[in-house]
Amino acid sequence: MKIDPVKWNRNASLAYAVGVWTMLGYVYYKYILGHDKVKVENVVEENGPNVEIYETKHTRTTIVYKGDYVPYSTMLLNFYKSTYGNDTESQEKEEEKK
């Protein structure tokens, strides 16, 4: 079976053009016209300070944070600082122990 390179190039170019124009149209619609912006509320009075509500046209997402939650990045940073802390901190801690 022989493939005609002219037809194949035309079909590939058409598929590529449709995909690119679809993507550009989506970017224009979503970001330039500003449709479907996210509305953020902090509902402090009703639910407490650890509740955030994100609302779009079709969805409503409620995120509840634990009151005493420490992020993993902060825990790792504190562990690193306690283990490999800089010289002035470790010297001050040693002087306090004495």
Side-chain angles (χ1 to χ4, degrees), residues 3-17:
I3 297 175
D4 187 16
V6 174
K7 283 185 180 180
W8 191 89
N9 284 339
R10 185 185 66 220
N11 291 339
S13 297
L14 181 64
Y16 181 76

Side-chain angles (χ1 to χ4, degrees), residues 25-42:
Y26 171 75
V27 168
Y28 178 77
Y29 177 78
K30 181 81 170 178
Y31 296 106
I32 296 178
L33 293 180
H35 292 284
D36 203 30
K37 296 258 182 182
V38 175
K39 179 178 149 189
V40 178
E41 304 177 7
N42 256 343

Side-chain angles (χ1 to χ4, degrees), residues 63-83:
I63 300 174
V64 179
Y65 296 101
K66 293 180 183 178
D68 57 348
Y69 177 73
V70 179
Y72 292 113
S73 58
T74 305
M75 289 192 310
L76 288 173
L77 181 64
N78 290 340
F79 175 74
Y80 179 79
K81 282 184 178 178
S82 68
T83 307

